[in-house]
Amino acid sequence: MKVMMMPIRRMLGSLKPTTSKHGVPKLFHEPHVETGFRHLHQPWSYYFFSLFQVHNECMNTWTHLVALWAILYRTYSFHQEFDLIGDPYMWPLCAGLITMIILYICSSFAHCFSNKSELIHYTCFMIDYAGIGLYGVGSTLLHYAYCLHDNMVNSWAHRYSGLIGVCLGLLVTICCSISKTRYSRPYPYSRRVWQLSSTLGIYIWLIYPIAYRVSLYLFNHQWDSGLGHHIHQMFWFFLGGFFFGSDIPQRFCPGKCDFLGHSHQLFHICILMTSYKQLDAVYEDIKMYSSLIRGIPVPTFMSTFGAVLITIVLNTVTVVIFRSVATRKIKDSPKD
């Protein structure tokens, strides 16, 4: 074991010390972050092994690597209880879990490798946006398959849920990519509008079945065991949105949260809790609405895995297109 660890220790020992924001181009600057920036144009191994180095993207990466492990564990738990492949009624669950796994892989990759170069930076975060849009599609599949009140079954929203979800998921990738390539640092608040409005759009759509059930509780006092978990997932989502948009706490103590305590790390933790409580809620709903779920038309490949594959293809095309936009922007931009 010691022999195996020696090359890793040598690699970690050879990593360049991080630099301040003055040692990297403005593209890599973050508001209220002063230190812990990794160097550009290093070998890929440098960025991989920097997972074990103190820098300002380290905890952003690890929070979603932990989230990835948590969702993989939940996937295994669901696999132990449900036939995720052989039972078509479990296909929306399997497809939703796949989108969560891809989301956390994309985000971890983006934060780990985004400092390699300007073009890699743009590409990594557009891949990250694609993962967010895909997760929105997966959540749409989950909620409209398992979380519908019987009043909504076969409604227009139920019938067109997947199609609208795919369109809104693609819109997230497009709008966030526009926000990344259209503006330069220091970013204006309008950039956040592009990001938050598109994300809020798909969230409103995917949360509609839950919001309907919450309204039944508020006005008719109709409570069920899954609703508490759904309210928790909504709480964590909006708390995450607060941290994402507010730059709190680092705006009050610039340079003090560069490694630990940055709002983006708190945002990641909130999204993990959103996913976790979402799966708790879906599990309760599958148990509670079992007869209703199996009374609706059998899910098809195209309405589940097909929707995920179509979204991946469309998002990949979007990333390729905006990568070329980023290439032109880098070429035309003056060097820092």
Side-chain angles (χ1 to χ4, degrees):
M1 180 63 70
K2 290 183 178 179
V3 175
M4 293 175 62
M5 292 296 293
M6 285 179 62
I8 297 177
R9 289 174 180 170
R10 282 199 299 269
M11 177 61 71
L12 294 177
S14 67
L15 291 178
K16 283 187 175 183
T18 58
T19 184
S20 72
K21 67 179 183 180
H22 303 294
V24 296
K26 286 184 180 180
L27 174 64
F28 298 89
H29 292 189
E30 291 290 342
H32 319 295
V33 176
E34 305 293 329
T35 62
F37 292 89
R38 291 170 294 169
H39 297 271
L40 277 67
H41 309 301
Q42 302 300 307
W44 287 100
S45 58
Y46 165 81
Y47 302 98
F48 175 78
F49 284 107
S50 71
L51 282 169
F52 308 99
Q53 183 186 35
V54 174
H55 59 81
N56 58 35
E57 287 283 13
C58 180
M59 296 308 296
N60 287 333
T61 307
W62 276 108
T63 47
H64 269 180
L65 285 175
V66 170
L68 174 61
W69 179 89
I71 299 305
L72 287 171
Y73 176 77
R74 293 301 298 271
T75 301
Y76 175 76
S77 300
F78 280 118
H79 171 68
Q80 293 293 100
E81 188 164 353
F82 304 111
D83 185 357
L84 297 180
I85 301 300
D87 182 359
Y89 283 102
M90 292 297 108
W91 287 356
L93 175 59
C94 186
L97 288 166
I98 289 171
T99 65
M100 290 184 185
I101 292 168
I102 293 174
L103 164 72
Y104 291 120
I105 290 174
C106 289
S107 179
S108 300
F109 178 86
H111 287 288
C112 187
F113 295 103
S114 60
N115 274 61
K116 183 166 175 58
S117 71
E118 289 90 342
L119 184 57
I120 295 297
H121 178 88
Y122 281 110
T123 306
C124 279
F125 284 106
M126 286 187 283
I127 291 172
D128 191 15
Y129 305 147
I132 295 169
L134 182 66
Y135 175 42
V137 174
S139 295
T140 299
L141 298 177
L142 288 171
H143 290 174
Y144 283 87
Y146 305 119
C147 308
L148 284 178
H149 190 274
D150 55 5
N151 291 349
M152 288 188 65
V153 173
N154 293 323
S155 64
W156 70 269
H158 186 198
R159 291 194 301 272
Y160 296 104
S161 59
L163 175 62
I164 295 175
V166 169
C167 293
L168 291 173
L170 176 62
L171 188 64
V172 168
T173 309
I174 292 173
C175 288
C176 289
S177 297
I178 289 173
S179 77
K180 188 67 176 175
T181 55
R182 179 175 180 177
Y183 302 104
S184 298
R185 294 186 186 275
Y187 293 132
Y189 193 78
S190 55
R191 176 176 182 263
R192 287 281 171 90
V193 173
W194 279 95
Q195 295 175 315
L196 294 175
S197 60
S198 58
T199 304
L200 186 61
I202 194 168
Y203 186 75
I204 290 172
W205 180 246
L206 67 86
I207 210 66
Y208 176 45
I210 315 305
Y212 180 76
R213 285 166 58 183
V214 171
S215 71
L216 290 179
Y217 167 68
L218 292 176
F219 297 108
N220 298 331
H221 305 290
Q222 296 184 27
W223 181 262
D224 58 68
S225 59
L227 200 53
H229 294 298
H230 282 301
I231 291 173
H232 285 157
Q233 67 141 319
M234 294 168 71
F235 165 79
W236 284 110
F237 177 84
F238 285 109
L239 183 62
F242 166 77
F243 284 120
F244 180 84
S246 67
D247 290 336
I248 293 174
Q250 68 271 11
R251 70 164 55 245
F252 300 119
C253 48
K256 302 299 183 183
C257 302
D258 293 355
F259 173 66
L260 190 64
H262 191 278
S263 65
H264 201 82
Q265 300 164 17
L266 301 177
F267 164 68
H268 277 196
I269 293 170
C270 289
I271 296 305
L272 165 59
M273 292 305 301
T274 300
S275 301
Y276 212 81
K277 296 308 295 182
Q278 180 184 28
L279 291 178
D280 285 341
V282 167
Y283 178 81
E284 290 292 334
D285 288 346
I286 289 174
K287 293 293 188 180
M288 183 177 64
Y289 291 125
S290 178
S291 58
L292 176 64
I293 291 169
R294 294 189 178 275
I296 63 177
V298 179
T300 65
F301 179 88
M302 282 305 300
S303 68
T304 53
F305 300 113
V308 171
L309 289 172
I310 290 170
T311 305
I312 291 173
V313 170
L314 293 175
N315 280 351
T316 300
V317 171
T318 301
V319 170
V320 171
I321 291 172
F322 280 96
R323 189 177 189 273
S324 65
V325 174
T327 302
R328 291 195 298 271
K329 180 179 179 179
I330 294 169
K331 184 179 179 180
D332 296 339
S333 297
K335 298 299 180 182
D336 294 340

